Amino acid sequence: MSQSTSHSTIAPAPARPASPPQAPAPSLIGALELDVRFLGMVGALAVIWIVFDFLADGTFLTPRNLWNLSVQTASIAVMSTGMVLVIVMRHIDLSVGSILGVTGMIMAVFQVSTLMPTFGFNHPAVVVLTLISGVAIGALIGTLHGFVIAYLGVPAFIVTLGGLLVWRGAAWAVAEGKTIPLVDDHFKLLGGGADGSIGAFWSWVVAAMACIVIVLATVQARRQRQRFRFPLKPVWAELVTAGAGCLAVIAATLVVNAYTLPAALARRYAEANGLTVPPEGLAISFGFAVPVLVALAIGVIMTFVTTRTRFGRYVFAIGGNPEAAELAGINTKRVTLMVFALMGGLAAIGAAISTARLNSATNAQGTLDELYVIAAAVIGGTSLAGGAGTVAGAMLGALVMQSLQSGMVLMRVDTPYQNIVVGIVLVVAVWVDTLYRKRFK
């Protein structure tokens, strides 16, 4: 009798699916999503400040010089925000300095010859109508340039080079070469100075509001990523970036509040406001200057326009590939006209700041400003090949350019040598941009 043996069959365990390869942990810069070029500019600015402070015997990194530096940068920073869009679209505008000169002269003449006799001394309507007229004329000039470029097919280089000559001559013709002094005290506030500053208290109010905006913007950006299921930054990275922004605001506020009125102006202020001057004297802070606040406000608005509006997306699409943008249905001619009109209006705002700071309109006003504006945009990371650039980078580039000029002034470097340095910096910036694009192409 055969004995049967039963064999128990054990089912093999199902094979585990191969786990997906783990993505390498992002680097610190990758986690924070920081622009390497922007960080490089911040580092270069820090080096420039430290070197000039050493060479100028400690006079560069003082509250007085840094406050003046911020005021001197405001006009160029305003115009550089528009130049970003022009260069992103693969164009150039060589006429911004001349537009600044002619609109500044027109505003001064209009204020003195028409508005002041009509409304009287320091009437609020004077400053409002002066600004409206200047910005409108600047926008009209830019519109004319944009029309010739977009609809007549003349290259922007030629159109704006002609504009450089035409509007410089027009600035002379408006007042026949005379210097026109400003008479409205409200308009002069746009130039900064003791009266054109908001003081310590309101500076801290502005700083608190800025920090709140930074935090809210960070939270909103994170919610938007969650909504569209985009990868989220680590929470610590969000805290670091928001905290760094708030610290920068607080540091800037401390610096501007550390710059106080001279003793004579402090006594005059005390007499005008019925204050008692103590034996040790009054310490009245300048605070943020009005032109700096204007420049920062325009920077925020232009950042929103370039990143959050259809117009801004169209500009970058055209700069990236004009043919594809046109095939996609974008009216490239109209967008080009709008960009140059916007550039003209921003040049007029820069003219208001520059004219108010000088307390007069001069025939030479705005000379070579086109060089500084273009250099600021390029140094700030705007690619001459088109399609790439940021408003914040351009404004930081304006600060770099003005820091170079301010440092050379403190070192008593003659103007021709200053121009040599600025020209070299511009060429190096374009060379660095070329290397950067080749590396990441």
Side-chain angles (χ1 to χ4, degrees):
M1 181 174 181
S2 63
Q3 188 177 6
S4 63
T5 58
S6 63
H7 298 280
S8 62
T9 305
I10 301 176
R16 292 184 179 181
S19 58
Q22 295 292 326
S27 63
L28 177 63
I29 294 178
L32 295 174
E33 296 184 1
L34 296 176
D35 186 353
V36 177
R37 297 187 67 177
F38 190 84
L39 284 180
M41 280 189 296
V42 173
L45 181 64
V47 171
I48 290 171
W49 283 10
I50 293 172
V51 169
F52 275 130
D53 190 63
F54 175 77
L55 296 177
D57 298 327
T59 58
F60 190 91
L61 291 177
T62 60
R64 177 177 182 272
N65 187 65
L66 293 178
W67 189 91
N68 287 326
L69 177 63
S70 67
V71 174
Q72 293 163 1
T73 306
S75 176
I76 300 297
V78 167
M79 292 190 289
S80 69
T81 63
M83 189 61 73
V84 169
L85 300 184
V86 173
I87 298 178
V88 161
M89 290 190 66
R90 306 187 183 187
H91 294 300
I92 201 71
D93 194 339
L94 302 176
S95 65
V96 290
S98 297
I99 296 176
L100 182 149
V102 70
T103 52
M105 187 64 73
I106 290 173
M107 283 189 285
V109 171
F110 185 48
Q111 183 181 116
V112 171
S113 63
T114 303
L115 296 179
M116 190 62 63
T118 302
F119 294 99
F121 183 69
N122 282 346
H123 193 280
V126 174
V127 61
V128 174
L129 293 177
T130 300
L131 288 172
I132 291 175
S133 63
V135 173
I137 291 172
L140 284 175
I141 293 173
T143 301
L144 175 61
H145 290 175
F147 177 82
V148 176
I149 294 166
Y151 291 93
L152 300 185
V154 183
F157 180 88
I158 299 300
V159 173
T160 57
L161 179 60
L164 182 151
L165 301 173
V166 169
W167 305 120
R168 180 60 60 195
W172 184 92
V174 168
E176 298 181 349
K178 299 176 183 177
T179 296
I180 307 299
L182 298 177
V183 291
D184 184 74
D185 290 338
H186 295 121
F187 188 84
K188 294 178 183 178
L189 298 180
L190 289 171
D195 296 325
S197 303
I198 63 175
F201 173 77
W202 288 109
S203 294
W204 283 116
V205 171
V206 170
M209 293 174 60
C211 290
I212 292 173
V213 169
I214 290 173
V215 173
L216 292 179
T218 303
V219 173
Q220 178 64 20
R222 189 172 183 85
R223 286 178 177 174
Q224 285 290 96
R225 289 192 170 205
Q226 288 177 332
R227 177 185 175 188
F228 294 104
R229 297 182 179 179
F230 288 165
L232 296 177
K233 292 169 61 176
V235 175
W236 66 264
E238 301 277 19
L239 294 175
V240 168
T241 52
C246 292
L247 285 177
V249 171
I250 293 172
T253 308
L254 289 172
V255 170
V256 297
N257 285 342
Y259 181 34
T260 57
L261 290 175
L265 289 178
R267 285 195 301 269
R268 191 184 308 169
Y269 177 87
E271 293 171 0
N273 292 274
L275 300 177
T276 302
V277 181
E280 64 275 10
L282 284 175
I284 302 174
S285 299
F286 275 78
F288 286 110
V290 172
V292 175
L293 296 178
V294 171
L296 292 175
I298 289 176
V300 172
I301 294 171
M302 290 296 292
T303 299
F304 178 82
V305 168
T306 55
T307 59
R308 301 292 182 182
T309 67
R310 181 182 299 178
F311 169 72
R313 291 192 292 271
Y314 283 176
V315 168
F316 280 85
I318 294 171
N321 192 325
E323 293 79 11
E326 192 164 0
L327 290 174
I330 298 175
N331 190 334
T332 57
K333 293 181 179 179
R334 184 175 64 184
V335 174
T336 301
L337 186 145
M338 292 172 64
V339 165
F340 277 92
L342 179 61
M343 183 71 256
L346 291 170
I349 296 175
I353 294 173
S354 176
T355 305
R357 187 166 66 89
L358 297 174
N359 284 327
S360 61
T362 66
N363 188 46
Q365 189 175 348
T367 302
L368 290 182
D369 274 8
E370 57 277 349
L371 169 64
Y372 284 90
V373 173
I374 294 171
V378 174
I379 290 173
T382 305
S383 174
L384 290 172
T390 62
V391 169
M395 298 185 75
L396 183 59
L399 183 58
V400 169
M401 294 300 298
Q402 195 60 50
S403 297
L404 287 172
Q405 187 180 35
S406 177
M408 288 186 288
V409 168
L410 288 177
M411 294 176 59
R412 297 179 176 85
V413 177
D414 293 333
T415 301
Y417 294 106
Q418 295 180 27
N419 294 336
I420 291 173
V421 172
V422 171
I424 293 173
V425 169
L426 177 58
V427 173
V428 171
V430 175
W431 175 63
V432 171
D433 172 69
T434 303
L435 294 179
Y436 182 84
R437 284 189 292 108
K438 285 183 178 179
R439 181 179 178 183
F440 292 97
K441 189 174 181 179

